[in-house]
Amino acid sequence: MPTEPISGSTPDLATPKIAPVHVPRRVPRSSARLVPLIAVALSLACASAPVRIERANPRAVQRDITSNVLSTGELSPRSRQVLERLSLRDDYEKQPVSTLSILHGQLATEGDHRRLSTLAELSFHYAERERDRTYYLLSAVYAYALLFPGPGQETLDASDPRIRLAYDLYNRALTEALTDDTGRVQFRAGRYPLPIGSVDIALDEEETFWAGHRMSDFIAAADYEVMGIRNRYRRPGLGAPVAAAALGEAVGPDAMPSERFMPGFRVPATAVLRIEDPRHAVKKGRFESRIELYTPDESAKVSIDGHDVPIEFETTSSLANSLAGSPFWDFELGGFFSGAVRPFKQAVTGTDLVDKPSRDEGLLFLAPYRPGLIPLVLVHGTASSPGRWADLVNELENERVIANRYQIWLFLYNTGNPIGYSGGLLRRALENAVADLDPEGKDPALRQMVVAGHSQGGLLTKLTAIDSGDRFWHEFSETPLDELALQPSVRETLRSSTYFAPEPFVKRVIFVCTPHRGSYLAGLSLASFSPAQWVGSLVALPSNLTQVFTDLVTNNQGKLVLRNMNRFPTSIDNMTPGNPFIRTLSEIPVAPGIAAHSIIAVAGDGPRERGSDGVVAYESAHIEGVVSELVVDSSHSAQGLPETIEEIRRILLVHATLHPQRR
């Protein structure tokens, strides 16, 4: 359609002829009266020039020239320009459907990239106004045709802001087109109508599986606000980010059991609608396409037209969605006062672990095991849960160099149990996981493990990295363990809770606010009242430990140091300064060959050597022989502090450098 001429005449650039000037001897009276009026008119004409410029706030100008339908709900300046140039702006406001049809009809056989950009935005704009899913899908189709025209076809320069807008329109429009009235994103094969024709969507059933589990209950990541996690990350790229439930029945021999994943876990996934020959399909109005689903552990890029295109992921949204309804929070205190490990894990995961015990019980995964990635194991503290690592997990998963070298595992345990007992559970879980995941020992990264623990979790972490010999056992008895009259299961429980050797696959440990010499809160006493004894008396130990205690006391009179005790010690007892367990543990150094780091919190001003975090004193958290020690200004819950996260990130980068990845 021809553009309308701009009003006003075009100046003659040729040199004008100069006419002779005649000066009359006397101006007529009527003409003389016109002179002031002409002067005023000329003055007004000069004062109201049609083109003006005024100084403005640069930020306001930037907002105006970069606004678009996604950011403000209004059309971008470039789409308005196309409408103006084609004399269609008023038509679009009055008859948007017919205007879109006119624009579509102007597309050449090969496609017009500028009109495609405008059509994508106008279709989304109209879909938003009418809540019409067919126009959302049409917007995604136009945007895809603009971005991926096919070999030899023309598109906009990569620096053009319409390219970024096309990605965003495709991602958001595809999400809206596939979202039903319940707010769930539905991925179904079939023929979908379009205002200009139709699109056939294929879907391979295998696309919906993750780690041997069928993904379901897809929700759009962009539809939810994230609270309680410091930073929200969105990896820019192509696709509709969703969060999916995937903890149903496992399918296939290589599927990971549901109980290995964090309870309520939602998988971050992204849907890409791949369209065949989009530029020609736009002209014909018939599209052939297929849905492809990607997860961060699978791939960060998708190949289109021979080019690697980044995939857009929303991992923070999925993490927050997983934790929002997690039973972790209810069981933080429940896990402290109830020592029954299996009932606790059963309630948290919703699985019957009594009938189907897990060899790596307590170990939770955030993604399927990936050979070549170093495990980072996070161990929470007292009356806490793995959910308290949310900020750290969020930051590390969105740090590409970290995510490409590490896989994060979480350890869940009942924090009221004796520390040696919980340490034995951690060791057994890690040993079984390594044996099950890599029985032939072909993955060296699995044996470069980093274990980090907060508070009591740091004490469990240390138990993976020391050679205790029989020092802990001697706190119970001078009689060798094998000479006592015990049931085999009791003997094995005692052995795993009192004898510790360095785990060969643990190469580095990180202590965060760890009470190596005990917690002064645990040892706080007032006259004859001891909070530790009172709290410890409320902790219900697991039935197998009750059996251990009964077996020891009943069948081994006179052979036990603890014969005068009326119950097994709890973790609070163990962390009381001067307690035999914490005293012995503090005296045993981290084994040679294992690097150790300390992150210590000290709240307030004053000398750090005399400070504390409100729970653990500096002098208790400080130990000799570590590679590094960082003191942060914080209370005891410092595991999510930016300084703590940055230090752990630094340590992981150093560790990755010392252990190059094998390809």
Side-chain angles (χ1 to χ4, degrees), residues 210 215 217-227 229 231-234 240-245 262-270 294-296 312-326 366 390 393-394 397-398:
W210 174 84
M215 291 186 286
D217 192 31
F218 297 91
I219 57 176
D223 287 354
Y224 294 86
E225 181 182 359
V226 173
M227 294 168 286
I229 297 180
N231 292 322
R232 178 172 185 165
Y233 290 101
R234 175 183 293 176
V242 295
M262 187 171 71
F265 181 63
R266 280 195 169 269
V267 183
T270 297
Y294 296 90
T295 57
E312 182 156 300
F313 286 112
E314 271 253 20
T315 55
T316 305
S317 178
S318 294
L319 177 63
N321 218 300
S322 301
L323 292 173
S326 173
L366 297 176
V393 170
N394 183 49
E397 282 192 334
N398 287 281

Side-chain angles (χ1 to χ4, degrees), residues 42-62:
L42 290 173
S43 175
L44 290 174
C46 294
S48 59
V51 178
R52 304 192 315 275
I53 188 169
E54 295 180 359
R55 190 173 184 83
N57 187 318
R59 288 188 291 273
V61 174
Q62 178 70 12

Side-chain angles (χ1 to χ4, degrees), residues 357-604:
S358 173
R359 280 170 47 79
D360 52 10
E361 185 173 318
L363 204 58
L364 302 174
F365 292 68
L366 297 176
Y369 160 65
R370 294 173 62 191
L373 298 189
I374 301 170
L376 167 63
V377 184
L378 302 177
V379 188
H380 62 84
T382 307
S384 184
S385 74
R388 300 296 174 176
W389 294 105
D391 275 310
L392 175 65
V393 170
N394 183 49
E395 296 297 328
L396 297 183
E397 282 192 334
N398 287 281
E399 178 78 34
R400 292 288 182 90
V401 67
I402 298 291
N404 290 338
R405 292 302 315 275
Y406 290 90
Q407 50 191 321
I408 299 176
W409 299 351
L410 307 171
F411 183 66
L412 174 72
Y413 67 104
N414 303 84
T415 59
N417 287 342
I419 294 175
Y421 177 77
S422 297
L425 294 179
L426 170 62
R427 292 168 56 88
R428 185 179 67 186
L430 295 177
E431 291 166 0
N432 291 339
V434 171
D436 292 346
L437 296 173
D438 186 33
E440 299 180 5
K442 295 181 178 180
D443 183 10
L446 199 57
R447 292 158 180 82
Q448 297 159 5
M449 192 178 295
V450 179
V451 185
H454 171 255
S455 191
Q456 182 188 161
L459 300 177
L460 271 62
T461 296
K462 188 177 181 182
L463 292 176
T464 69
I466 63 170
D467 187 356
S468 68
D470 58 4
R471 296 178 64 176
F472 287 109
W473 174 248
H474 280 170
E475 298 296 336
F476 281 92
S477 174
E478 294 296 332
T479 304
L481 176 60
D482 289 335
E483 295 180 10
L484 294 180
L486 300 170
Q487 299 181 46
S489 61
V490 170
R491 194 185 311 278
E492 182 55 36
T493 298
L494 286 171
R495 193 185 308 280
S496 64
S497 303
T498 56
Y499 286 83
F500 305 98
E503 294 289 3
F505 44 77
V506 174
K507 300 302 181 185
R508 194 174 298 266
V509 291
I510 304 173
F511 305 120
V512 183
C513 305
T514 299
H516 292 288
R517 297 173 183 83
S519 166
Y520 75 85
L521 273 188
L524 188 64
S525 63
L526 181 61
S528 61
F529 173 74
S530 170
Q533 294 177 357
W534 177 73
V535 173
S537 67
L538 299 179
V539 174
L541 295 178
S543 58
N544 60 328
L545 278 188
T546 303
Q547 180 185 3
V548 167
F549 185 80
T550 302
D551 208 2
L552 273 172
V553 174
T554 303
N555 301 323
N556 298 277
Q557 291 290 337
K559 298 181 180 180
L560 304 177
V561 175
L562 52 69
R563 56 184 173 273
N564 294 324
M565 297 178 61
N566 57 10
R567 61 176 175 84
F568 241 23
T570 66
S571 62
I572 297 299
D573 298 319
N574 289 157
M575 288 187 289
T576 301
N579 178 270
F581 175 86
I582 198 69
R583 185 184 66 246
T584 301
L585 181 58
S586 68
E587 295 171 352
I588 304 174
V590 172
I594 301 177
H597 304 263
S598 288
I599 300 174
I600 303 173
V602 174

Side-chain angles (χ1 to χ4, degrees), residues 191-203:
R191 176 165 294 178
Y192 291 74
L194 292 175
I196 62 169
S198 63
V199 54
D200 289 325
I201 299 179
L203 175 62

Side-chain angles (χ1 to χ4, degrees), residues 133-156:
R133 292 193 186 98
T134 63
Y135 276 91
Y136 279 126
L137 188 54
L138 182 59
S139 174
V141 166
Y142 282 135
Y144 189 94
L146 171 65
L147 293 169
F148 311 109
Q153 300 288 353
E154 183 185 11
T155 190
L156 295 169

Side-chain angles (χ1 to χ4, degrees), residues 277-290:
D277 198 8
R279 287 288 176 94
H280 289 94
V282 163
K283 188 63 179 178
K284 295 184 297 182
R286 288 291 303 275
F287 299 87
E288 299 291 334
S289 66
R290 68 178 183 271

